[in-house]
Amino acid sequence: MKFTLSWLKEHLDTDAGVEAISVALTSLGLEVESIDDPAARLAPFTIAEVLTAERHPQADKLQVLSVSTGSGEPLQVVCGAPNARAGMKGVFGAPGTFVPGSGITLKVAAIRGVESRGMMCSMRELELSDEHDGIIELPADAPVGARYVDYAALADPLFDVAITPNRQDCMGVRGIARDLAALGLGRLKPLAEAYRVASFDRPRSGAGPDVATQDPAGCPAFYGCTVSGVANGPSPAWLQQKLKAIGQKPISALVDITNFIMFDLGRPLHVYDRARLEGALVARKARDGEQVVALNGKTYTVDATMTVIADDNHVHDIGGIMGGMDSGCSETTTDVLIECAYFDPESIARTGQKLLLTSDARTRFERGVDPGFLDEGLAVATHLVLELCGGTASDITRAGAPPLATKTVAYRPARVMGLAGIEVAEAEQAAILTGLGFGVTTGTPWQVTVPTWRRDVDGEADLVEEVVRIHGLDRVPATPLPRADGVALPTATPAQRLERKLRRSIAARGFDEAVTWSFLPPAEAEAFGGAAWTVANPISADMAAMRPSLLPGLLAAAKRNADRGQASVRLFELGQRYLADGEHATVALLLAGEARARDWRSGAATGFDAYDAKAEALAALAAAGAPVDRLNVVAPTHGWWHPGRAGRLVLGKVALADFGMVHPATLARFGVKGAVAAVELYLDALPPPRGRKARGAYAPPALQALSRDFAFVADDSLAADALLRAAAAADKALISNVTLFDRFAGERLGPGKVSLAIEVTLQPGDKSLTDAEIEAVSAKVVAAAAKLGAVLRG
């Protein structure tokens, strides 16, 4: 919400300066995002007159101007503006001047071979508006040599205030002035005084327009009046200046009036050209497939859930959001219909979301405009139209009725201490609430009537908030919470402790933690099985799907890192997957790029493979307390894993993690080049921890371990892990470890055969093993392998 200091003071009688107002606004909860003083940045620019304008010898679209700045000899300026001509007056920037809109500092330079000593400026170059069709053209009586900021009265600081969604009453300058007055920073002027009139009552003649509402849910109230015989030209300088100051483009007097009232009073209105209407103007539900060409030039297709304003033959307005081109006012307009309606906030929000259409009117209506301000809003609009455009006003037609049910809240002043921890005298509380527009009847309890413009106030706690906000949040004492003696008990849950442990363990293995969005583009979610949940009101279309996996976010992050020259990417994330049966806590790891950089000792750089992913999966599971020695490897079930280069770690029938190489087709959809290894570990599938037992002191074996090597020939379909498990189980008392150290396939073994060489470590207990005992264990190992179809290689 933007407004200038002078604009605010039209409603607030105060001597406070910029600094005091800024501090007061922030203390009220209306955060000041910026204060811009055009006088500071535009001080060097002066008014100049174009004496001559000649064609540039080397460029058809450029002119060489002779410019008088009011002092010294005329200056030569090269200009490309189509409206530059001899005799016009504009705004000049001399060499050495910084141009805020373009971010450059002017200097003497040759443009296509012709020297230019400054610039004639446009509105956009001075950051006064987005207009850039030509240079600024000033009236003929503008004083040459004067500072433009003084001539245009731009020495008026501009406030930009962030309005929270619950403060719909502050979406107009008057609402902000009311808050400041309640704080004691000045007096809120009566509305007529603010507009410098004795009354808004104007002579009216003739019946009101034929307007109606056939949609009492979406548009409970639809008021209108006509003004005949208007002259719609440019709006006066004071009105244009206000709109330009807040970044709005003046269009015409009629349009500018409605925009001004919207920003001044928080009340959107619309003006129709009566000559373009056919029959009665009605607020109704749209019919499926009807179309509206809106004022932004785009065509929108509406449906039966949306409220529109239509005549007998056409839809003219997307109710409460944007008017239509077909009935808009132009310089030929002579008769107008002024509409002032109340639209249901929820209906406006849903329509805007469906159409992906935003506007200043929608922002106000979906928050909830004052339903008690329809007559006054229409009176103000009628007054300004008659004042600026002339004409004769008709009577007012009132169709429907706004929701004006009186809301009364039982209020106990002592609740300020109970909820906010601060003492505020009852007299001050009553004064604060009265200053904000509430009606206060003291008693036990107080009865407080909520004004129509405060639909956010619903109960006693809201009134306490209002009192404390005005009294001063900075005056609430900082009081520590009571704390018991001794050392505080730990508050982290088992799940939080597990996540903390995993973060440290994975980071210690060289990974960087990433935090990615829980929302995805639907197309990216489809690559991972599709989204079970979508967001009803997404920030954008690319953030509409809830992620079914953490890998899409990590793949996007890996791509960004690789695009910026990162040779090796090792990322992990802890977060939620959103599946049809609910949220699932998950850890995802991703390895991309170089596993080992090139080196004179090892040769070329090598990439990551499925075994790297498996090692990281097992390490993470071990850190989480899973029994990794009891896990089996099976094929993954998801299509985004590379067949034959990925696996699933299961405990019984429960999947604890998937690991391996991501399918090349999936990588292509994300634009990721090269191979990528990944892991997804399912925290909610981990077995619960067993009861904690005290661990005894470490006692190393008294006797030296010994090892025996075995080479088995087996079918190449036999998983090496199955052979290792079988060998380890052959004698659990003596065999302490089994590892695979070689795998060989060749013609000598025969087709479909492979040689697997394992090392079996034996750990004696209380005495050394004899040769016979060693041979007995070896026989058990060979027998266990034979059950899998593996035979000792000769």
Side-chain angles (χ1 to χ4, degrees), residues 273-300:
D273 187 335
R274 290 180 64 196
R276 301 185 180 186
L277 300 179
E278 301 176 23
L281 197 63
V282 178
R284 60 169 173 82
K285 287 297 186 190
R287 303 182 184 100
D288 288 335
E290 285 186 312
Q291 292 188 326
V292 185
V293 180
L295 289 173
N296 61 5
K298 298 181 180 180
T299 301
Y300 295 91

PDB file of all heavy atoms in Angstrom, residues 273-300:
ATOM      1  N   ASP A 273     -19.822   3.015 -19.517  1.00  0.00           N
ATOM      2  CA  ASP A 273     -20.338   3.908 -20.557  1.00  0.00           C
ATOM      3  C   ASP A 273     -21.744   3.426 -20.897  1.00  0.00           C
ATOM      4  O   ASP A 273     -21.933   2.343 -21.464  1.00  0.00           O
ATOM      5  CB  ASP A 273     -19.431   3.856 -21.791  1.00  0.00           C
ATOM      6  CG  ASP A 273     -19.821   4.891 -22.843  1.00  0.00           C
ATOM      7  OD1 ASP A 273     -21.002   5.300 -22.869  1.00  0.00           O
ATOM      8  OD2 ASP A 273     -18.952   5.274 -23.639  1.00  0.00           O
ATOM      9  N   ARG A 274     -22.769   4.226 -20.545  1.00  0.00           N
ATOM     10  CA  ARG A 274     -24.153   3.785 -20.728  1.00  0.00           C
ATOM     11  C   ARG A 274     -24.486   3.522 -22.194  1.00  0.00           C
ATOM     12  O   ARG A 274     -25.354   2.698 -22.503  1.00  0.00           O
ATOM     13  CB  ARG A 274     -25.113   4.825 -20.159  1.00  0.00           C
ATOM     14  CG  ARG A 274     -25.081   4.913 -18.648  1.00  0.00           C
ATOM     15  CD  ARG A 274     -26.058   5.967 -18.155  1.00  0.00           C
ATOM     16  NE  ARG A 274     -27.447   5.627 -18.478  1.00  0.00           N
ATOM     17  CZ  ARG A 274     -28.452   6.489 -18.432  1.00  0.00           C
ATOM     18  NH1 ARG A 274     -28.219   7.758 -18.112  1.00  0.00           N
ATOM     19  NH2 ARG A 274     -29.680   6.096 -18.714  1.00  0.00           N
ATOM     20  N   ALA A 275     -23.804   4.216 -23.102  1.00  0.00           N
ATOM     21  CA  ALA A 275     -24.087   4.016 -24.520  1.00  0.00           C
ATOM     22  C   ALA A 275     -23.720   2.610 -24.984  1.00  0.00           C
ATOM     23  O   ALA A 275     -24.208   2.152 -26.026  1.00  0.00           O
ATOM     24  CB  ALA A 275     -23.340   5.059 -25.362  1.00  0.00           C
ATOM     25  N   ARG A 276     -22.893   1.940 -24.235  1.00  0.00           N
ATOM     26  CA  ARG A 276     -22.461   0.590 -24.624  1.00  0.00           C
ATOM     27  C   ARG A 276     -23.228  -0.506 -23.896  1.00  0.00           C
ATOM     28  O   ARG A 276     -22.921  -1.681 -24.055  1.00  0.00           O
ATOM     29  CB  ARG A 276     -20.966   0.432 -24.353  1.00  0.00           C
ATOM     30  CG  ARG A 276     -20.102   1.432 -25.094  1.00  0.00           C
ATOM     31  CD  ARG A 276     -18.642   1.140 -24.888  1.00  0.00           C
ATOM     32  NE  ARG A 276     -17.780   2.086 -25.595  1.00  0.00           N
ATOM     33  CZ  ARG A 276     -16.455   1.969 -25.671  1.00  0.00           C
ATOM     34  NH1 ARG A 276     -15.844   0.953 -25.077  1.00  0.00           N
ATOM     35  NH2 ARG A 276     -15.737   2.853 -26.332  1.00  0.00           N
ATOM     36  N   LEU A 277     -24.193  -0.122 -23.079  1.00  0.00           N
ATOM     37  CA  LEU A 277     -24.998  -1.102 -22.356  1.00  0.00           C
ATOM     38  C   LEU A 277     -26.308  -1.339 -23.097  1.00  0.00           C
ATOM     39  O   LEU A 277     -26.871  -0.428 -23.705  1.00  0.00           O
ATOM     40  CB  LEU A 277     -25.280  -0.620 -20.932  1.00  0.00           C
ATOM     41  CG  LEU A 277     -24.059  -0.370 -20.039  1.00  0.00           C
ATOM     42  CD1 LEU A 277     -24.508   0.137 -18.670  1.00  0.00           C
ATOM     43  CD2 LEU A 277     -23.224  -1.641 -19.897  1.00  0.00           C
ATOM     44  N   GLU A 278     -26.809  -2.553 -23.019  1.00  0.00           N
ATOM     45  CA  GLU A 278     -28.059  -2.926 -23.667  1.00  0.00           C
ATOM     46  C   GLU A 278     -28.973  -3.535 -22.612  1.00  0.00           C
ATOM     47  O   GLU A 278     -28.802  -4.678 -22.218  1.00  0.00           O
ATOM     48  CB  GLU A 278     -27.804  -3.917 -24.804  1.00  0.00           C
ATOM     49  CG  GLU A 278     -26.862  -3.379 -25.879  1.00  0.00           C
ATOM     50  CD  GLU A 278     -26.544  -4.427 -26.936  1.00  0.00           C
ATOM     51  OE1 GLU A 278     -27.346  -5.365 -27.092  1.00  0.00           O
ATOM     52  OE2 GLU A 278     -25.492  -4.312 -27.587  1.00  0.00           O
ATOM     53  N   GLY A 279     -29.909  -2.766 -22.130  1.00  0.00           N
ATOM     54  CA  GLY A 279     -30.832  -3.261 -21.122  1.00  0.00           C
ATOM     55  C   GLY A 279     -30.307  -3.065 -19.719  1.00  0.00           C
ATOM     56  O   GLY A 279     -29.380  -2.288 -19.458  1.00  0.00           O
ATOM     57  N   ALA A 280     -30.906  -3.785 -18.787  1.00  0.00           N
ATOM     58  CA  ALA A 280     -30.551  -3.663 -17.371  1.00  0.00           C
ATOM     59  C   ALA A 280     -29.169  -4.245 -17.103  1.00  0.00           C
ATOM     60  O   ALA A 280     -28.705  -5.150 -17.800  1.00  0.00           O
ATOM     61  CB  ALA A 280     -31.592  -4.381 -16.513  1.00  0.00           C
ATOM     62  N   LEU A 281     -28.524  -3.712 -16.071  1.00  0.00           N
ATOM     63  CA  LEU A 281     -27.216  -4.208 -15.647  1.00  0.00           C
ATOM     64  C   LEU A 281     -27.444  -5.086 -14.421  1.00  0.00           C
ATOM     65  O   LEU A 281     -27.986  -4.626 -13.400  1.00  0.00           O
ATOM     66  CB  LEU A 281     -26.283  -3.042 -15.324  1.00  0.00           C
ATOM     67  CG  LEU A 281     -24.790  -3.354 -15.257  1.00  0.00           C
ATOM     68  CD1 LEU A 281     -24.280  -3.838 -16.612  1.00  0.00           C
ATOM     69  CD2 LEU A 281     -24.005  -2.121 -14.818  1.00  0.00           C
ATOM     70  N   VAL A 282     -27.014  -6.343 -14.520  1.00  0.00           N
ATOM     71  CA  VAL A 282     -27.372  -7.334 -13.508  1.00  0.00           C
ATOM     72  C   VAL A 282     -26.120  -8.059 -13.021  1.00  0.00           C
ATOM     73  O   VAL A 282     -25.256  -8.443 -13.821  1.00  0.00           O
ATOM     74  CB  VAL A 282     -28.374  -8.365 -14.082  1.00  0.00           C
ATOM     75  CG1 VAL A 282     -28.714  -9.420 -13.034  1.00  0.00           C
ATOM     76  CG2 VAL A 282     -29.629  -7.669 -14.549  1.00  0.00           C
ATOM     77  N   ALA A 283     -26.036  -8.241 -11.684  1.00  0.00           N
ATOM     78  CA  ALA A 283     -25.020  -9.117 -11.103  1.00  0.00           C
ATOM     79  C   ALA A 283     -25.624 -10.510 -11.019  1.00  0.00           C
ATOM     80  O   ALA A 283     -26.670 -10.709 -10.390  1.00  0.00           O
ATOM     81  CB  ALA A 283     -24.621  -8.617  -9.716  1.00  0.00           C
ATOM     82  N   ARG A 284     -24.988 -11.476 -11.670  1.00  0.00           N
ATOM     83  CA  ARG A 284     -25.523 -12.837 -11.712  1.00  0.00           C
ATOM     84  C   ARG A 284     -24.395 -13.846 -11.804  1.00  0.00           C
ATOM     85  O   ARG A 284     -23.229 -13.472 -11.992  1.00  0.00           O
ATOM     86  CB  ARG A 284     -26.454 -13.011 -12.904  1.00  0.00           C
ATOM     87  CG  ARG A 284     -25.765 -12.771 -14.269  1.00  0.00           C
ATOM     88  CD  ARG A 284     -26.656 -13.220 -15.404  1.00  0.00           C
ATOM     89  NE  ARG A 284     -26.139 -12.879 -16.729  1.00  0.00           N
ATOM     90  CZ  ARG A 284     -25.224 -13.579 -17.404  1.00  0.00           C
ATOM     91  NH1 ARG A 284     -24.693 -14.677 -16.857  1.00  0.00           N
ATOM     92  NH2 ARG A 284     -24.839 -13.195 -18.616  1.00  0.00           N
ATOM     93  N   LYS A 285     -24.751 -15.127 -11.666  1.00  0.00           N
ATOM     94  CA  LYS A 285     -23.779 -16.181 -11.902  1.00  0.00           C
ATOM     95  C   LYS A 285     -23.526 -16.299 -13.407  1.00  0.00           C
ATOM     96  O   LYS A 285     -24.449 -16.164 -14.223  1.00  0.00           O
ATOM     97  CB  LYS A 285     -24.284 -17.523 -11.367  1.00  0.00           C
ATOM     98  CG  LYS A 285     -24.268 -17.639  -9.858  1.00  0.00           C
ATOM     99  CD  LYS A 285     -22.855 -17.559  -9.292  1.00  0.00           C
ATOM    100  CE  LYS A 285     -22.852 -17.820  -7.784  1.00  0.00           C
ATOM    101  NZ  LYS A 285     -21.532 -17.514  -7.179  1.00  0.00           N
ATOM    102  N   ALA A 286     -22.284 -16.525 -13.758  1.00  0.00           N
ATOM    103  CA  ALA A 286     -21.946 -16.689 -15.172  1.00  0.00           C
ATOM    104  C   ALA A 286     -22.514 -17.995 -15.699  1.00  0.00           C
ATOM    105  O   ALA A 286     -22.841 -18.918 -14.944  1.00  0.00           O
ATOM    106  CB  ALA A 286     -20.431 -16.661 -15.346  1.00  0.00           C
ATOM    107  N   ARG A 287     -22.627 -18.067 -16.988  1.00  0.00           N
ATOM    108  CA  ARG A 287     -23.007 -19.314 -17.651  1.00  0.00           C
ATOM    109  C   ARG A 287     -21.736 -19.948 -18.199  1.00  0.00           C
ATOM    110  O   ARG A 287     -20.868 -19.258 -18.739  1.00  0.00           O
ATOM    111  CB  ARG A 287     -24.008 -19.055 -18.773  1.00  0.00           C
ATOM    112  CG  ARG A 287     -25.270 -18.333 -18.280  1.00  0.00           C
ATOM    113  CD  ARG A 287     -26.276 -18.135 -19.398  1.00  0.00           C
ATOM    114  NE  ARG A 287     -27.435 -17.366 -18.908  1.00  0.00           N
ATOM    115  CZ  ARG A 287     -27.613 -16.075 -19.103  1.00  0.00           C
ATOM    116  NH1 ARG A 287     -26.706 -15.386 -19.799  1.00  0.00           N
ATOM    117  NH2 ARG A 287     -28.677 -15.459 -18.622  1.00  0.00           N
ATOM    118  N   ASP A 288     -21.616 -21.251 -18.066  1.00  0.00           N
ATOM    119  CA  ASP A 288     -20.407 -21.948 -18.509  1.00  0.00           C
ATOM    120  C   ASP A 288     -20.086 -21.587 -19.953  1.00  0.00           C
ATOM    121  O   ASP A 288     -20.947 -21.670 -20.836  1.00  0.00           O
ATOM    122  CB  ASP A 288     -20.586 -23.465 -18.385  1.00  0.00           C
ATOM    123  CG  ASP A 288     -20.572 -23.937 -16.935  1.00  0.00           C
ATOM    124  OD1 ASP A 288     -19.971 -23.230 -16.110  1.00  0.00           O
ATOM    125  OD2 ASP A 288     -21.152 -24.985 -16.641  1.00  0.00           O
ATOM    126  N   GLY A 289     -18.840 -21.167 -20.155  1.00  0.00           N
ATOM    127  CA  GLY A 289     -18.384 -20.862 -21.506  1.00  0.00           C
ATOM    128  C   GLY A 289     -18.481 -19.411 -21.903  1.00  0.00           C
ATOM    129  O   GLY A 289     -17.953 -19.020 -22.948  1.00  0.00           O
ATOM    130  N   GLU A 290     -19.152 -18.573 -21.106  1.00  0.00           N
ATOM    131  CA  GLU A 290     -19.205 -17.145 -21.431  1.00  0.00           C
ATOM    132  C   GLU A 290     -17.802 -16.550 -21.358  1.00  0.00           C
ATOM    133  O   GLU A 290     -16.967 -16.997 -20.563  1.00  0.00           O
ATOM    134  CB  GLU A 290     -20.140 -16.403 -20.469  1.00  0.00           C
ATOM    135  CG  GLU A 290     -21.606 -16.649 -20.736  1.00  0.00           C
ATOM    136  CD  GLU A 290     -22.506 -15.791 -19.862  1.00  0.00           C
ATOM    137  OE1 GLU A 290     -22.265 -15.751 -18.629  1.00  0.00           O
ATOM    138  OE2 GLU A 290     -23.436 -15.174 -20.389  1.00  0.00           O
ATOM    139  N   GLN A 291     -17.559 -15.535 -22.165  1.00  0.00           N
ATOM    140  CA  GLN A 291     -16.237 -14.928 -22.225  1.00  0.00           C
ATOM    141  C   GLN A 291     -16.314 -13.420 -21.968  1.00  0.00           C
ATOM    142  O   GLN A 291     -17.311 -12.774 -22.286  1.00  0.00           O
ATOM    143  CB  GLN A 291     -15.575 -15.194 -23.577  1.00  0.00           C
ATOM    144  CG  GLN A 291     -15.209 -16.660 -23.793  1.00  0.00           C
ATOM    145  CD  GLN A 291     -14.388 -16.869 -25.039  1.00  0.00           C
ATOM    146  OE1 GLN A 291     -14.556 -16.184 -26.035  1.00  0.00           O
ATOM    147  NE2 GLN A 291     -13.464 -17.822 -24.983  1.00  0.00           N
ATOM    148  N   VAL A 292     -15.225 -12.905 -21.386  1.00  0.00           N
ATOM    149  CA  VAL A 292     -15.110 -11.482 -21.089  1.00  0.00           C
ATOM    150  C   VAL A 292     -13.758 -10.996 -21.603  1.00  0.00           C
ATOM    151  O   VAL A 292     -12.734 -11.615 -21.313  1.00  0.00           O
ATOM    152  CB  VAL A 292     -15.194 -11.213 -19.565  1.00  0.00           C
ATOM    153  CG1 VAL A 292     -15.203  -9.718 -19.303  1.00  0.00           C
ATOM    154  CG2 VAL A 292     -16.405 -11.874 -18.965  1.00  0.00           C
ATOM    155  N   VAL A 293     -13.768  -9.913 -22.369  1.00  0.00           N
ATOM    156  CA  VAL A 293     -12.514  -9.250 -22.739  1.00  0.00           C
ATOM    157  C   VAL A 293     -12.259  -8.198 -21.666  1.00  0.00           C
ATOM    158  O   VAL A 293     -12.932  -7.162 -21.614  1.00  0.00           O
ATOM    159  CB  VAL A 293     -12.592  -8.617 -24.130  1.00  0.00           C
ATOM    160  CG1 VAL A 293     -11.262  -7.950 -24.475  1.00  0.00           C
ATOM    161  CG2 VAL A 293     -12.958  -9.658 -25.176  1.00  0.00           C
ATOM    162  N   ALA A 294     -11.320  -8.482 -20.767  1.00  0.00           N
ATOM    163  CA  ALA A 294     -11.088  -7.619 -19.614  1.00  0.00           C
ATOM    164  C   ALA A 294     -10.284  -6.387 -20.009  1.00  0.00           C
ATOM    165  O   ALA A 294      -9.766  -6.277 -21.128  1.00  0.00           O
ATOM    166  CB  ALA A 294     -10.363  -8.395 -18.515  1.00  0.00           C
ATOM    167  N   LEU A 295     -10.181  -5.457 -19.050  1.00  0.00           N
ATOM    168  CA  LEU A 295      -9.476  -4.201 -19.315  1.00  0.00           C
ATOM    169  C   LEU A 295      -7.989  -4.403 -19.572  1.00  0.00           C
ATOM    170  O   LEU A 295      -7.325  -3.501 -20.094  1.00  0.00           O
ATOM    171  CB  LEU A 295      -9.679  -3.248 -18.132  1.00  0.00           C
ATOM    172  CG  LEU A 295     -11.087  -2.657 -17.991  1.00  0.00           C
ATOM    173  CD1 LEU A 295     -11.218  -1.869 -16.699  1.00  0.00           C
ATOM    174  CD2 LEU A 295     -11.421  -1.781 -19.192  1.00  0.00           C
ATOM    175  N   ASN A 296      -7.444  -5.563 -19.179  1.00  0.00           N
ATOM    176  CA  ASN A 296      -6.035  -5.825 -19.478  1.00  0.00           C
ATOM    177  C   ASN A 296      -5.834  -6.363 -20.885  1.00  0.00           C
ATOM    178  O   ASN A 296      -4.721  -6.730 -21.264  1.00  0.00           O
ATOM    179  CB  ASN A 296      -5.441  -6.796 -18.451  1.00  0.00           C
ATOM    180  CG  ASN A 296      -6.147  -8.148 -18.438  1.00  0.00           C
ATOM    181  OD1 ASN A 296      -7.024  -8.419 -19.261  1.00  0.00           O
ATOM    182  ND2 ASN A 296      -5.763  -9.006 -17.506  1.00  0.00           N
ATOM    183  N   GLY A 297      -6.924  -6.434 -21.669  1.00  0.00           N
ATOM    184  CA  GLY A 297      -6.828  -6.883 -23.051  1.00  0.00           C
ATOM    185  C   GLY A 297      -6.906  -8.382 -23.234  1.00  0.00           C
ATOM    186  O   GLY A 297      -6.908  -8.863 -24.374  1.00  0.00           O
ATOM    187  N   LYS A 298      -6.991  -9.146 -22.171  1.00  0.00           N
ATOM    188  CA  LYS A 298      -7.044 -10.607 -22.255  1.00  0.00           C
ATOM    189  C   LYS A 298      -8.490 -11.086 -22.201  1.00  0.00           C
ATOM    190  O   LYS A 298      -9.343 -10.458 -21.580  1.00  0.00           O
ATOM    191  CB  LYS A 298      -6.232 -11.244 -21.133  1.00  0.00           C
ATOM    192  CG  LYS A 298      -4.744 -10.915 -21.172  1.00  0.00           C
ATOM    193  CD  LYS A 298      -4.001 -11.599 -20.039  1.00  0.00           C
ATOM    194  CE  LYS A 298      -2.511 -11.278 -20.084  1.00  0.00           C
ATOM    195  NZ  LYS A 298      -1.766 -11.935 -18.974  1.00  0.00           N
ATOM    196  N   THR A 299      -8.728 -12.227 -22.845  1.00  0.00           N
ATOM    197  CA  THR A 299     -10.058 -12.830 -22.853  1.00  0.00           C
ATOM    198  C   THR A 299     -10.115 -13.949 -21.825  1.00  0.00           C
ATOM    199  O   THR A 299      -9.250 -14.840 -21.806  1.00  0.00           O
ATOM    200  CB  THR A 299     -10.395 -13.386 -24.237  1.00  0.00           C
ATOM    201  OG1 THR A 299     -10.347 -12.315 -25.202  1.00  0.00           O
ATOM    202  CG2 THR A 299     -11.777 -14.013 -24.256  1.00  0.00           C
ATOM    203  N   TYR A 300     -11.131 -13.920 -20.963  1.00  0.00           N
ATOM    204  CA  TYR A 300     -11.287 -14.917 -19.904  1.00  0.00           C
ATOM    205  C   TYR A 300     -12.598 -15.677 -20.103  1.00  0.00           C
ATOM    206  O   TYR A 300     -13.646 -15.068 -20.405  1.00  0.00           O
ATOM    207  CB  TYR A 300     -11.284 -14.255 -18.529  1.00  0.00           C
ATOM    208  CG  TYR A 300      -9.957 -13.601 -18.189  1.00  0.00           C
ATOM    209  CD1 TYR A 300      -9.722 -12.267 -18.510  1.00  0.00           C
ATOM    210  CD2 TYR A 300      -8.942 -14.327 -17.580  1.00  0.00           C
ATOM    211  CE1 TYR A 300      -8.504 -11.665 -18.216  1.00  0.00           C
ATOM    212  CE2 TYR A 300      -7.715 -13.728 -17.293  1.00  0.00           C
ATOM    213  CZ  TYR A 300      -7.504 -12.410 -17.609  1.00  0.00           C
ATOM    214  OH  TYR A 300      -6.300 -11.822 -17.316  1.00  0.00           O
TER     215      TYR A 300
END
